[in-house]
Amino acid sequence: MSSTSFKNSLRRIGIALPLMLALLPRPGLAETLADALVGAYEHSGLLDQNRALLRAADEDVASARSALKPVLQWAGALTQNFGTTRASSLAPATSTESLTASINLIGELLLYDFGASAYRIEAAKETVLATRYTLLDIEQQVLLRAVAAYMGVIEARDIVALRNNNLRLLTQELRAARDRFDVGEVTNTDVALAEAQLAQARSGLAAAQGALLRAEEEYRNAVGQDPKNLTPPPVLRDVSRDLEAAKALAVRQHPAVRAAQHQVSAARLAVESNEAAMSPRVTLRGNYGLTETFNEDRYTRGGSIGIEAGQTIYQGGALSSAVRRAMAQLDAQRANLHVVSGQIVQEVGNAYASLASANAQLEASDRQIRAAQAAFNGVREEAKLGARTTLDVLDAEQVLLDARSTRVTARANLYVAAYAVLAAKGQLMAVDLRLPVQIYDAAAYYNLVKDAPAKYSKQGKALDRVLRALQKD
């Protein structure tokens, strides 16, 4: 097939141009593909789940940063002392009893740890970036599922309509066969054949109605609302046919690949952090306390401040084991990047193959429908003249029904394949489609928590308001 024929066929059958979805008119209460994609984006529990996981990863950065900030603690005690004291065998025994209260304020600040904490912070940041790209990849899956669900309902409804029309035609054929039997033009066998074909049509209609119910359930789950008056998707203006360029683009920008790259970086920093953890730590430590004994005039007030240095010399091999484990994780993430890149390249190739196959099937079904319609019309006219049997008419009607059903399925497959191409290249996100939705800002929560704000600080109070809003949603 020539490239011009391919492009013209895409224009004729009407695949949606994603970038124009939000700008399309919406007649009456009709529901467009853009509406379905908006519903999926706004009501997906899977997206909500992974957005929460991203916020959890954001908190890991705050936790890692806190290691470089002062640690302030307090400790208090209330002690009752009692007993009996005798200085010698000749002296009388005296009882001692006192109540002592103490409170201490303890501060600690890490001064230097050979970069172990800094490496942990950078590793947490890389994990955040990997989680963001994972969220984008899941967003693509959610939107592609919505496209498949939308086209699945349209396909199922069209098949039901074809089956209903076929049932009406076969009912007419049975009536005609009985009329011809009454006048002796056909035998009882012809009538039985028409009855059998009609029963088969009823069975096929029941199966199609069951498939429609399942398609509607999938739509409700994928989109979050009932399928109403779904309109056919608009026309796709252009689809790139350069397979090698598409594969190269996908390897560079697909969210799954980008997530794997950041996971490799995080694993590499984890190795550096565990190696640095074997070095000494220098800490500034201070405390101030008050101790007072009740019913006496004695009290103690004072504090201390100093710099401490220390290093774990031996811990049963735990530190070395942690380094080796981090190295193994790095090797695993490097291998995962290779696997993911290969899978993405394969998905692009599969998507383009499916698109070409569905397009070819659609063109073939168009030709088949024209030929089957002409054959059916001719056979039916010949049957009226006695040149064809009832079986010939029924067979011709079945061929025409199969051709029309094939076209309906091919059209749905072509739409899904076109969007699968976009997903395989990493271009099926709400931003790419210009959907009329509030795009989730993956950096907003991170910017609030990255510096580990105190609970009662201005930034901490703003964060509390954000968390309450999220819980309401």
Side-chain angles (χ1 to χ4, degrees):
M1 182 190 304
S2 67
S3 62
T4 301
S5 174
F6 181 78
K7 188 174 182 179
N8 290 337
S9 297
L10 288 178
R11 288 175 174 172
R12 187 183 71 252
I13 53 90
I15 300 178
L17 174 63
L19 299 182
M20 301 300 293
L21 282 174
L23 305 178
L24 295 172
R26 301 178 184 180
L29 298 177
E31 187 173 347
T32 66
L33 179 55
D35 295 325
L37 293 175
V38 168
Y41 185 84
E42 293 181 340
H43 300 102
S44 172
L46 188 59
L47 284 178
D48 289 339
Q49 175 192 2
N50 283 272
R51 287 166 183 165
L53 291 176
L54 175 58
R55 294 195 296 273
D58 293 340
E59 294 291 354
D60 288 338
V61 176
S63 178
R65 279 182 178 272
S66 67
L68 298 178
K69 293 186 176 183
V71 177
L72 192 61
Q73 299 174 314
W74 69 269
L78 186 64
T79 306
Q80 174 72 51
N81 298 305
F82 56 89
T84 301
T85 302
R86 189 171 67 174
S88 67
S89 60
L90 299 177
T94 60
S95 62
T96 59
E97 184 175 348
S98 64
L99 180 62
T100 303
S102 65
I103 186 168
N104 291 274
L105 189 63
I106 306 163
E108 183 178 320
L109 176 63
L110 176 65
L111 297 180
Y112 191 66
D113 64 353
F114 289 85
S117 297
Y119 285 131
R120 292 190 191 100
I121 294 171
E122 294 305 314
K125 289 180 179 179
E126 291 295 331
T127 301
V128 166
L129 293 175
T131 309
R132 288 182 187 178
Y133 281 111
T134 299
L135 176 60
L136 291 177
D137 190 31
I138 291 172
E139 180 181 321
Q140 288 203 133
Q141 298 171 24
V142 167
L143 295 180
L144 183 59
R145 183 185 179 188
V147 172
Y150 188 93
M151 293 310 303
V153 172
I154 290 180
E155 176 189 2
R157 288 179 176 176
D158 288 346
I159 293 294
V160 168
L162 286 175
R163 291 287 181 179
N164 273 316
N165 186 59
N166 176 249
L167 187 63
R168 288 192 296 270
L169 289 176
L170 290 176
T171 300
Q172 294 173 3
E173 292 294 336
L174 176 59
R175 187 181 301 113
R178 285 173 176 169
D179 292 341
R180 294 172 65 189
F181 174 75
D182 291 339
V183 297
E185 293 182 3
V186 298
T187 66
N188 191 47
T189 301
D190 295 290
V191 176
L193 286 171
E195 290 174 342
Q197 196 77 358
L198 181 61
Q200 183 180 359
R202 289 195 177 100
S203 175
L205 175 60
Q209 290 171 336
L212 174 58
L213 292 175
R214 290 191 295 273
E216 290 175 342
E217 290 297 333
E218 169 64 12
Y219 186 93
R220 292 186 188 96
N221 193 15
V223 178
Q225 59 193 27
D226 292 334
K228 301 180 180 65
N229 182 22
L230 306 187
T231 61
V235 176
L236 177 66
R237 306 291 176 86
D238 188 21
V239 173
S240 173
R241 296 176 300 279
D242 191 338
L243 178 58
E244 295 306 317
K247 289 181 177 180
L249 178 66
V251 170
R252 290 196 307 272
Q253 73 173 24
H254 196 283
V257 175
R258 299 295 300 275
Q261 290 170 343
H262 286 291
Q263 287 166 354
V264 171
S265 298
R268 184 182 298 110
L269 289 165
V271 173
E272 301 288 344
S273 174
N274 280 281
E275 289 178 342
M278 303 177 71
S279 303
R281 289 169 55 95
V282 180
T283 306
L284 175 65
R285 187 185 299 273
N287 70 79
Y288 182 82
L290 168 64
T291 301
E292 182 171 343
T293 303
F294 294 97
N295 299 325
E296 294 184 14
D297 293 333
R298 291 186 298 137
Y299 69 86
T300 302
R301 294 176 183 174
S304 66
I305 186 170
I307 295 177
E308 301 178 0
Q311 179 182 10
T312 301
I313 298 176
Y314 180 70
Q315 195 178 350
L319 296 177
S320 299
S321 176
V323 172
R324 293 192 300 271
R325 181 181 183 278
M327 289 179 175
Q329 291 282 5
L330 176 58
D331 291 340
Q333 293 300 336
R334 284 171 174 165
N336 179 63
L337 175 59
H338 178 73
V339 171
V340 170
S341 299
Q343 289 175 340
I344 294 304
V345 169
Q346 181 182 358
E347 287 178 8
V348 173
N350 291 344
Y352 270 82
S354 297
L355 181 62
S357 175
N359 180 71
Q361 188 177 22
L362 186 66
E363 290 188 343
S365 64
D366 284 338
R367 293 192 295 269
Q368 184 183 4
I369 288 173
R370 290 193 294 270
Q373 184 67 60
F376 173 71
N377 293 339
V379 169
R380 187 166 56 180
E381 291 301 321
E382 291 173 3
K384 293 178 181 178
L385 300 175
R388 292 282 186 171
T389 64
T390 300
L391 180 59
D392 293 330
V393 176
L394 297 176
D395 288 342
E397 166 65 13
Q398 186 62 46
V399 170
L400 179 58
L401 174 65
D402 291 342
R404 288 172 173 168
S405 299
T406 299
R407 189 188 189 284
V408 168
T409 300
R411 185 186 65 172
N413 290 342
L414 188 54
Y415 278 83
V416 176
Y419 283 92
V421 167
L422 295 175
K425 293 191 295 183
Q427 297 176 333
L428 191 64
M429 290 170 280
V431 172
D432 300 313
L433 303 180
R434 298 182 185 175
L435 295 178
V437 296
Q438 181 66 43
I439 301 298
Y440 182 78
D441 187 354
Y445 188 84
Y446 173 83
N447 291 333
L448 287 174
V449 304
K450 64 180 181 180
D451 294 322
K455 180 175 179 60
Y456 298 107
S457 66
K458 181 178 180 181
Q459 192 174 6
K461 292 178 180 178
L463 181 59
D464 284 342
R465 289 193 294 271
V466 171
L467 290 173
R468 286 195 295 269
L470 288 171
Q471 290 169 356
K472 288 179 182 178
D473 292 341

